């Protein structure tokens, strides 16, 4: 049985302009690998309602899970929640349980949320809340779409609360074999291994250390025995080069 699949939709003009370095897809990839959900696509879109809706509908039809990052804050360009509601054809408004969580978090800091800040309690009809223990403003899940903040510390906290609730698969393991020769020297032998061992994934990554040009070959898969066999074959290939 194959693992669940996933995509992340990163939303924000600041990512596309280079003003902000994207970190959430990197964190998500590692966490999904750990629990056995295969991240298959990373897509970045601007703060454009129609573009977000189109991307969401395409991704949620293709993958088991879609995670979004960004655009659920209190300002005019935080339009993700509205776009998600539009994609699912449901209404959206401030919801009592989300408002209570937000007010509780603000009260702990001796403050009261403004009308603009209460925008962060607007939740599409039928969605389930994702707890945010950093700032209090919740994310939400609707269908197979999980909507989370763009601030990395908050995204990490939300994902930590969400992941244990999702059905997972078999964690993907990896092994690495170092070749102190360039990719060209191992290309033919590596291609043969790829053809003979369809149960594992091979990746070839060149590196330089001073005058040395080498290649790290990484094998990935869910079957420990197949991974061990792949490593043994790679070590045979390495020995044959000397």
């Amino acid at each position: 049985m194959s693992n669940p699949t996933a995509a992340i939709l990163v939303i924000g003009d600041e990512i596309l302009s280079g003003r902000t370095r994207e970190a959430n897809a990197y964190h998500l990839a590692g966490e999904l690998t750990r629990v056995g959900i295969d991240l298959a696509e990373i897509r970045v879109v601007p703060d454009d309602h129609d573009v977000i809706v189109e991307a969401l509908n395409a991704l949620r039809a293709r993958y088991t899970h879609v995670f979004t990052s960004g655009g659920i804050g209190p300002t005019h360009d935080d339009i993700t929640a509205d776009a998600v509601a539009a994609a699912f054809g449901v209404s959206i408004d401030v919801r009592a349980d989300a408002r209570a969580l937000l007010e509780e978090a603000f009260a702990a800091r001796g403050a009261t949320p403004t009308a603009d800040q209460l925008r962060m309690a607007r939740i599409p009809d039928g969605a389930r809340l994702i707890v945010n223990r950093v700032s209090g403003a919740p994310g939400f899940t609707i269908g197979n779409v999980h909507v989370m903040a763009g601030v990395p510390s908050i995204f990490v906290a939300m994902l930590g609360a969400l992941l244990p609730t999702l059905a997972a698969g078999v964690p993907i393991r990896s092994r690495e074999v170092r070749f102190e020769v360039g990719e060209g020297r191992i290309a033919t032998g590596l291609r043969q291994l790829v053809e003979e061992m369809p149960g594992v994934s091979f990746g070839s990554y060149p590196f330089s250390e001073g005058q040395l040009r080498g290649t790290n070959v990484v094998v990935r898969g869910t079957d420990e025995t197949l991974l061990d066999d792949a490593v043994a074959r790679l070590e045979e290939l390495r020995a044959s080069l000397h």
Side-chain angles (χ1 to χ4, degrees):
M1 185 175 179
S2 59
N3 282 346
T5 59
I8 180 170
L9 182 65
V10 181
I11 300 163
D13 293 340
E14 69 278 10
I15 302 296
L16 290 168
S17 69
R19 183 179 182 278
T20 299
R21 185 186 297 271
E22 206 291 315
N24 294 331
Y26 173 81
H27 177 74
L28 178 69
E31 289 298 287
L32 293 186
T33 296
R34 180 178 61 81
V35 301
I37 297 174
D38 298 342
L39 182 62
E41 184 171 347
I42 298 170
R43 191 178 298 195
V44 185
V45 295
D47 296 310
D48 182 302
H49 181 276
D50 292 342
V51 173
I52 297 169
V53 171
E54 180 182 9
L56 274 173
N57 283 332
L59 294 173
R60 70 191 181 95
R62 190 174 303 156
Y63 302 110
T64 312
H65 299 285
V66 178
F67 300 85
T68 77
S69 165
I72 59 172
T75 59
H76 71 283
D77 58 348
D78 290 312
I79 59 174
T80 298
D82 294 274
V84 173
F88 280 87
V90 299
S91 299
I92 182 171
D93 204 346
V94 173
R95 208 168 80 183
D97 54 352
R99 178 173 185 151
L101 289 173
L102 195 60
E103 289 177 338
E104 180 181 354
F106 272 76
R109 302 193 290 270
T112 301
T114 65
D116 283 336
Q117 289 165 333
L118 283 175
R119 282 177 48 83
M120 295 185 290
R122 296 173 71 250
I123 306 295
D125 288 351
R128 305 184 307 278
L129 299 185
I130 300 172
V131 174
N132 168 9
R133 302 195 186 282
V134 177
S135 67
F140 59 85
T141 292
I142 181 168
N144 62 338
V145 176
H146 314 289
V147 178
M148 296 182 288
V151 177
S153 61
I154 301 177
F155 182 91
V156 168
M158 285 184 174
L159 184 63
L162 174 66
L163 268 188
T165 71
L166 303 182
V170 180
I172 298 172
R173 310 297 186 189
S174 65
R175 304 277 193 278
E176 183 175 306
V177 178
R178 175 185 169 103
F179 289 79
E180 295 190 347
V181 296
E183 286 184 299
R185 292 280 306 280
I186 65 171
T188 299
L190 187 57
R191 187 177 301 110
Q192 182 177 344
L193 286 179
V194 170
E195 294 172 354
E196 294 177 357
M197 304 190 72
V200 294
S201 171
F202 291 82
S204 176
Y205 306 99
F207 67 86
S208 297
E209 293 178 357
Q211 298 300 312
L212 173 66
R213 294 179 58 218
T215 309
N216 288 319
V217 176
V218 177
V219 289
R220 299 181 178 89
T222 57
D223 188 312
E224 296 277 3
T225 300
L226 285 179
L227 288 178
D228 290 342
D229 290 345
V231 167
R233 295 288 300 278
L234 287 169
E235 290 173 343
E236 290 175 1
L237 175 60
R238 183 174 60 188
S240 73
L241 299 175
H242 299 296

